[in-house]
């Protein structure tokens, strides 16, 4: 069953065309990693999926709801889409517990006791139950990002979007976040991940997409893309990445 369908999506910022006709289908339970150089349109594409950016033309459909339709009720549609950003975006004046329970209580009218139990369960999953009453300023970057993942999961989404979730982290904290994402993938969560962590993409993705200059240049199983890339643009990018590493 198709979870995310992107059809001929174009996105312009003024005269700059950032996405130039993207077609992509993500099926239930699939983990798709998007790689590519900075400025290739990866994060913009992800933001178009849950309509944080308005597309110029084309269609974006998630769970049979056309996100790009002018009459789409985005608040309702986004309940099925969890998103984790580079910069955590936690509410600094709220405890970890409140960061996680806010949306389920406000949007799903979940009772306090049920929301608290959900928060405890999710924090256990990401290994941070002992931080439930802490505030973001008391957490490391890796801990903040794990709380952000728990917060996104609190709405019990069908699809999780990750926009370079480890790029703002110190290297020693990257592993703890990737481990949580790896477990989500193992549990069958449908995931669309923009990442520069090639090892993660190679190990966890069902499919890797290489983007450059606003188009999908190449896609396939991680083994194909990483070990035997067909396109010169992909070959050049992966060579540069391996040299930088």
């Amino acid at each position: 069953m198709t979870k995310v369908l992107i059809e001929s999506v174009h996105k312009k910022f003024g005269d700059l065309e950032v996405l130039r006709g993207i077609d992509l289908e993500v099926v239930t339970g699939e983990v798709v990693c998007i790689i590519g150089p900075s400025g290739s349109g990866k994060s913009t594409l992800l933001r178009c999926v849950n309509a944080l950016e308005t597309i110029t033309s084309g269609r974006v459909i998630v769970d049979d709801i056309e996100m790009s339709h002018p009459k789409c009720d985005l608040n309702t549609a986004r309940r099925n889409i969890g998103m984790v950003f580079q910069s955590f975006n936690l509410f600094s004046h709220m405890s970890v517990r409140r960061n996680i329970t806010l949306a389920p209580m406000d949007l799903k009218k979940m009772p306090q006791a049920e929301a608290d139990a959900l928060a405890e369960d999710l924090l256990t999953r990401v290994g941070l139950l002992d931080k439930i009453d802490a505030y973001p300023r008391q957490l490391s970057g890796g801990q903040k990002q794990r709380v952000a993942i728990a917060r996104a999961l609190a709405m019990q989404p069908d699809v999780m979007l990750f926009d370079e979730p480890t790029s703002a982290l110190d290297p020693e904290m990257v592993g703890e976040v990737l481990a949580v994402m790896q477990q989500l993938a193992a549990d069958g969560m449908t995931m669309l991940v923009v990442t520069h962590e090639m090892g993660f993409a190679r190990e966890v993705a069902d499919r890797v997409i290489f983007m450059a200059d606003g188009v999908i240049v190449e896609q396939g199983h991680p083994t194909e893309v990483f070990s035997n890339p067909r396109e010169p643009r992909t070959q050049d990018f992966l060579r540069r990445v391996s040299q930088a590493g």
Side-chain angles (χ1 to χ4, degrees):
M1 177 182 168
T2 299
K3 278 292 180 189
V4 180
L5 184 62
I6 298 167
E7 292 183 329
S8 193
V9 164
H10 290 253
K11 172 62 181 177
K12 285 186 174 182
F13 293 105
D15 292 333
L16 178 65
E17 191 168 24
V18 180
L19 299 176
R20 301 188 291 140
I22 300 290
D23 291 291
L24 177 62
E25 181 178 358
V26 181
V27 300
T28 301
E30 189 177 19
V31 178
V32 176
C33 285
I34 306 175
I35 63 172
S38 297
S40 57
K42 308 183 300 294
S43 292
T44 299
L45 176 62
L46 210 64
R47 292 171 66 83
C48 288
V49 171
N50 68 349
L52 288 175
E53 297 288 356
T54 304
I55 64 175
T56 304
S57 63
R59 293 201 306 166
V60 176
I61 299 169
V62 181
D63 273 343
D64 298 323
I65 297 172
E66 188 175 346
M67 305 293 293
S68 49
H69 195 282
K71 294 186 178 178
C72 177
D73 180 352
L74 289 177
N75 287 333
T76 300
R78 285 186 183 130
R79 292 180 190 180
N80 291 328
I81 307 170
M83 186 156 185
V84 178
F85 301 86
Q86 297 178 34
S87 55
F88 325 131
N89 290 8
L90 297 176
F91 296 113
S92 60
H93 63 291
M94 293 182 184
S95 68
V96 167
R97 181 196 304 270
R98 186 67 179 133
N99 264 282
I100 294 172
T101 59
L102 180 66
M105 290 174 63
D106 280 7
L107 300 177
K108 288 193 169 181
K109 307 305 177 189
M110 188 179 286
Q112 176 85 54
E114 187 179 339
D116 280 345
L118 177 62
E120 290 172 12
D121 177 56
L122 291 171
L123 287 170
T124 300
R125 284 178 70 182
V126 302
L128 287 174
L129 182 58
D130 61 323
K131 301 293 185 184
I132 192 165
D133 292 317
Y135 284 79
R137 65 180 178 275
Q138 299 169 303
L139 304 178
S140 70
Q143 289 170 336
K144 288 176 186 175
Q145 195 59 294
R146 284 187 282 157
V147 171
I149 293 172
R151 181 180 61 178
L153 291 172
M155 288 298 289
Q156 297 162 319
D158 291 331
V159 178
M160 285 285 284
L161 310 176
F162 292 88
D163 185 9
E164 299 201 22
T166 59
S167 65
L169 300 179
D170 293 333
E172 65 269 21
M173 295 175 184
V174 169
E176 63 191 58
V177 174
L178 295 181
V180 172
M181 294 171 63
Q182 196 157 3
Q183 188 57 55
L184 279 180
D187 292 342
M189 175 63 74
T190 307
M191 296 164 60
L192 196 51
V193 184
V194 171
T195 186
H196 60 275
E197 298 290 342
M198 299 301 145
F200 175 82
R202 186 190 288 267
E203 285 181 36
V204 179
D206 297 300
R207 184 164 33 129
V208 171
I209 289 173
F210 173 69
M211 280 184 68
D213 303 319
V215 299
I216 293 175
V217 176
E218 184 167 351
Q219 61 179 303
H221 189 272
T223 305
E224 298 169 17
V225 174
F226 286 112
S227 301
N228 192 28
R230 297 185 308 274
E231 300 295 329
R233 189 76 180 81
T234 316
Q235 295 166 6
D236 181 58
F237 172 76
L238 292 174
R239 186 165 52 247
R240 288 170 187 264
V241 167
S242 65
Q243 288 169 353

